[in-house]
Amino acid sequence: MVDHTVLSELSYSSFQDKSIEEQLSMGIRFFDLRIAHKQNDSSSDLYFTHVIYTHLTVLETLLSVAIWLKSHPKEVVILDCSHFEGMDDRCHELFIFSLKRLFGSKLCPRTESVLTLRSLWASGYQVILTYDSQSALRHQELWPDIPYYWANQRTAQGLISYLDRNKDRGRPDGFFVSGLNLTADKGYILTHPKESLRVLTFSNWECLKKWLEEQIPGSQSKSLNIIAGDFVGTLPLCSLVIALNQKLVRKNSSSIKKTI
């Protein structure tokens, strides 16, 4: 007997369709990494998870990131590690040791007071590694968790209303993420078993795209900081974010000319 509820939930658990190397090459620089240790697994291997586990281990995937960064010395990534399902203190310490060994001097310490590309380049830092666990407090290479504005909505209208409300409250200090991630609750999944998160995302994309194009980049109180989304390999999220940055560059160039 097949549990169709489980099969339906699995179809709503796939968020990306490109490898991490492909995402890096397309321009993705922020990675939301939800990490878990499998139950009854005697090894220390960790996997990415969202209902289902990935086939590749976390360290296998992050090794690909380290190799990519070595051949792109002026690129900087933010790795946001969280959830840590099934991990005890020993598992955390082993994982943190492996992260420090893997990225070494590329890790930017949280004590760094100036975070500009020029300062990061000068110090050889390429990785800002956040770690949402008390285990991180003993390690200056690990940053605290980044606030993630997750709407928990299945429509573009609901998601946009949530993000706009957060914009009206003003931006927090430091990094923050605005998630363009749609979410289907269990009731919707049960009544739409032939759909998927991909269908949901694509059917709402034009509305999300229009909202994103209207955003104002920069350090203003209602400006966005990090923008996250699903299926970035197929949807043109990268080009839209790059266009926002180019808008900021043009604005700054114009201001410089006026002062001259």
Side-chain angles (χ1 to χ4, degrees):
M1 181 176 179
V2 178
D3 185 341
H4 293 286
T5 303
V6 173
L7 292 177
S8 297
E9 286 185 357
L10 293 181
S11 70
Y12 285 88
S13 301
S14 177
F15 298 89
Q16 303 297 347
D17 48 15
K18 298 291 182 182
S19 70
I20 202 161
E21 298 99 326
E22 290 172 312
Q23 292 181 56
L24 284 164
S25 296
M26 290 186 317
I28 300 298
R29 295 295 177 267
F30 171 83
F31 294 91
D32 177 15
L33 307 176
R34 304 180 183 192
I35 296 168
H37 183 260
K38 291 181 179 179
Q39 290 184 349
N40 304 319
D41 185 352
S42 59
S43 77
S44 60
D45 290 340
L46 302 176
Y47 297 85
F48 300 114
T49 181
H50 200 286
V51 180
I52 55 176
Y53 296 107
T54 53
H55 293 295
L56 289 175
T57 67
V58 171
L59 289 179
E60 285 173 328
T61 303
L62 294 183
L63 175 60
S64 298
V65 175
I67 292 170
W68 191 90
L69 288 172
K70 187 174 182 180
S71 60
H72 298 80
K74 285 202 168 185
E75 297 298 334
V76 178
V77 299
I78 300 175
L79 305 178
D80 186 26
C81 300
S82 64
H83 287 62
F84 304 117
E85 296 173 11
M87 291 179 61
D88 57 19
D89 289 342
R90 179 177 176 277
C91 201
H92 276 291
E93 288 304 316
L94 286 172
F95 181 44
I96 291 170
F97 174 77
S98 298
L99 290 172
K100 291 164 72 171
R101 183 175 59 183
L102 178 61
F103 292 112
S105 61
K106 290 182 173 64
L107 288 170
C108 176
R110 62 174 179 266
T111 52
E112 189 73 12
S113 58
V114 179
L115 281 183
T116 66
L117 283 176
R118 289 186 185 279
S119 68
L120 293 171
W121 292 338
S123 301
Y125 298 141
Q126 289 185 268
V127 180
I128 295 173
L129 182 58
T130 75
Y131 203 93
D132 188 18
S133 168
Q134 292 295 311
S135 301
L137 297 177
R138 297 187 295 274
H139 304 273
Q140 67 172 1
E141 299 90 347
L142 305 181
W143 290 63
D145 189 45
I146 296 174
Y148 195 120
Y149 294 154
W150 174 57
N152 194 22
Q153 296 285 328
R154 64 175 175 83
T155 66
Q157 292 82 2
L159 187 152
I160 289 169
S161 295
Y162 170 82
L163 293 180
D164 281 339
R165 287 196 301 274
N166 278 285
K167 282 171 55 182
D168 290 339
R169 297 188 185 107
R171 62 188 295 155
D173 295 330
F175 297 116
F176 67 97
V177 182
S178 299
L180 300 184
N181 318 91
L182 293 170
T183 307
D185 59 29
K186 186 159 286 189
Y188 185 86
I189 293 172
L190 287 171
T191 55
H192 298 78
K194 293 184 179 180
E195 288 192 16
S196 64
L197 184 63
R198 185 185 182 90
V199 171
L200 193 64
T201 301
F202 278 64
S203 62
N204 283 274
W205 173 246
E206 285 304 316
C207 188
L208 294 174
K209 175 176 175 287
K210 183 175 183 297
W211 179 84
L212 185 55
E213 289 171 333
E214 294 170 350
Q215 299 311 299
I216 300 171
S219 57
Q220 299 178 39
S221 62
K222 293 188 177 183
S223 296
L224 304 185
N225 182 221
I226 298 170
I227 302 168
D230 299 322
F231 304 106
V232 296
T234 308
L235 296 173
L237 180 64
C238 291
S239 59
L240 291 173
V241 174
I242 290 170
L244 288 177
N245 286 329
Q246 290 171 338
K247 189 190 299 185
L248 183 62
V249 170
R250 288 193 297 269
K251 178 183 175 183
N252 290 340
S253 298
S254 177
S255 299
I256 292 171
K257 289 178 182 177
K258 287 180 181 178
T259 58
I260 294 174

